[in-house]
Amino acid sequence: KQYYHNRKMSILEYNGAAVIAMAGKDCVGIASDNRLGIQYQTVAMDFKKVFKMNDTLFVGLAGLATDVQTLDQLLRFRMNLYELREERTMTPQVFTNLLSNILYEKRFGPYFAEPVVAGLDEKGSPYLATMDLIGAIETTKDFVVSGTCDGNLYGMCETLYKPDLGKEELFETLAQALLASVDRDALSGWGGVVHIITKEGVMSRELKGRQD
Amino acid sequence: MARRYDSSTTTFSPEGRLHQVEYAIEAINNAGTSVGILAKDGVVMASEKKVTSGLLAPARTSEKTYKLCPHATCTVAGLTADANILIDQARLRAGRYAYQYQEPIPIENLVEHVCNYKQAYTQYGGLRPFGVAFLFAGYDIHHGFQLYQSDPSGNYSGWKATVIGANNQAGKSLLKTEYGSSSSSGDEMKTDENPAKDETEMPTTVEALRLAVKVLNKTMDGAAASPDKLELFAMTLDEDGNCVHKILNAKEVEAVIAEVESETATAGDS
């Protein structure tokens, strides 16, 4: 049963999400909000949409929660199999192509999720990519966004982003861009989480935001 | 006499034997030896690497030891090409189980799956059996560390220590006398104070590695043991409870070989 509203919600908005990733100097950052809702009813405040695939590769998945979970599980399965057979770790580029392939396989009955890939390639340079729900890839050098407030996220990124930020500054920039964007979106928010990936390791921090 | 009943896998002989399966087992007895030993804190597997030609490009990956999933590894004796098919099957099975149940596959479950796959080739299709025997080493929360052996018939069993491949009978007889009776901690006395018999008899992975090398020394029939002829593998748990799969590097293998040599040298004195 829904509360009173006139707007018809698309399936990609059903659960709500905000995901953002940015490149810095020899580092990448990726962040998501914590909300899980069923249309306008909030159901969980600890539903994170960023998943660690390995020490230098994260994927963020915005969209229908069941597909977010399923894709995470599927990707871990496929990555595992790859590493057993090839006896080497998967690079972010290969991972992106794998994900695109998985999505396109369901071209006429797709997973309702729009992913964001953030990692460091073998040389340690930042790698960012995004795609639509049927696997059209776009790689960028600066930032990628996805979710119910992607318009807000784009605006915040364009304004706040500077190239070659250090990991502390990158964290601040990501956090501000995410929090300001979700505050103007009813379907995302309830705090967030940020991961900054460098060659030395991953720094993860919880974000305190408006709990509404 | 067996001629009439041995060309088809799907036919029993009058004595109730499947000759094709038995011939497959014979094929494995010509392959490089592999020994597996269950330890208190892990499982070890040691294999003989058969170098067939000096012209062969140095292998970047193992020809004997294969990881199947985060908590299981196997060694192979027999036709490598056949083994590759089964290893991939095992990897797929472990991955699909983990995907479906979001839980690591129990080791016996994995072994049984591979064995059921092998069994089908002894009953259907008019295809020959796989000429491979495996040693599976794994860990799960249900039964801890485990060691299994499987053969072309699709039969499997759990072992505390076993040998497959060339001269496996000699290896097994050595294990019968040495497994469980070797204790390097000299002050451990066989008294009534040692209640849990199984616990005290099990070696540690360090001791098991030495015993494994001893077994291979016997089965390799006097050929000098060296890191390029032996592959040593040990599975243990790290402090977070995750499985560690370790294929020892050349220096570590040398160290174990040296320890075994000094042990056998002093053993003659006592």
Side-chain angles (χ1 to χ4, degrees), chain A residues 70 73-74 76-77 81 84-85 87, chain B residues 61 67-68 88 91-92 95 99 102:
Chain A
T70 299
Q73 294 169 359
L74 259 175
R76 271 187 283 123
F77 171 40
L81 211 52
L84 282 172
R85 286 169 168 162
E87 297 194 14
Chain B
T61 59
K67 184 170 168 183
L68 300 176
D88 205 52
R91 287 171 170 169
L92 280 169
Y99 175 66
Q102 290 297 300

Side-chain angles (χ1 to χ4, degrees), chain A residues 156-172:
Chain A
M156 290 306 300
C157 285
E158 283 291 348
T159 311
L160 297 181
Y161 180 77
K162 282 203 301 278
D164 291 323
L165 290 167
K167 56 184 218 193
E168 288 296 341
E169 293 176 293
L170 186 66
F171 169 81
E172 277 306 318

Side-chain angles (χ1 to χ4, degrees), chain B residues 218-232:
Chain B
K218 182 148 190 230
T219 60
M220 273 161 53
D221 228 2
S226 67
D228 41 278
K229 290 211 203 98
L230 294 188
E231 188 164 274
L232 295 185

Side-chain angles (χ1 to χ4, degrees), chain B residues 1 13-14 31 39 52 66 90 92 126 145 151 197 207-208 212 224 246 254-255 257:
Chain B
M1 205 202 30
S13 80
T52 43
Y66 298 90
L92 280 169
F145 285 107
D151 68 18
K197 191 155 170 277
E207 291 164 350
K246 184 168 172 72
E254 276 291 355
I257 294 175

Side-chain angles (χ1 to χ4, degrees), chain A residues 15-154:
Chain A
N15 297 122
V19 178
I20 179 175
M22 275 187 189
K25 184 140 186 72
D26 300 323
C27 60
V28 277
I30 185 168
S32 85
D33 72 321
N34 289 341
R35 183 180 179 273
L36 174 72
I38 296 179
Q39 298 193 309
Y40 286 119
Q41 173 68 55
T42 299
V43 160
M45 292 96 81
D46 61 355
F47 188 78
K48 292 157 177 23
K49 294 108 188 154
V50 275
F51 304 98
K52 177 170 165 177
M53 293 288 123
N54 69 45
D55 286 327
T56 53
L57 180 59
F58 275 70
V59 64
L61 293 155
L64 196 62
T66 181
D67 289 346
V68 165
Q69 288 178 324
T70 299
L71 279 172
D72 166 45
Q73 294 169 359
L74 259 175
L75 287 167
R76 271 187 283 123
F77 171 40
R78 296 293 298 266
M79 250 192 104
N80 225 313
L81 211 52
Y82 179 96
E83 295 192 349
L84 282 172
R85 286 169 168 162
E86 307 254 337
E87 297 194 14
R88 60 196 174 109
T89 46
M90 219 188 231
T91 60
Q93 296 91 327
V94 171
F95 179 86
T96 301
N97 282 307
L98 170 66
L99 177 48
S100 166
N101 197 250
I102 290 174
L103 293 173
Y104 195 81
E105 254 178 357
K106 302 278 187 217
R107 172 64 178 79
F108 300 110
Y111 291 112
F112 294 106
E114 298 196 311
V116 141
V117 180
L120 297 173
D121 69 15
E122 306 112 302
K123 297 195 204 80
S125 323
Y127 178 88
L128 291 176
T130 183
M131 58 198 94
D132 66 6
L133 76 171
I134 44 178
I137 302 173
E138 191 63 52
T139 46
T140 60
K141 290 203 301 270
D142 41 22
F143 49 82
V144 283
V145 305
S146 186
T148 46
C149 55
D150 54 358
N152 302 358
L153 287 163
Y154 274 126

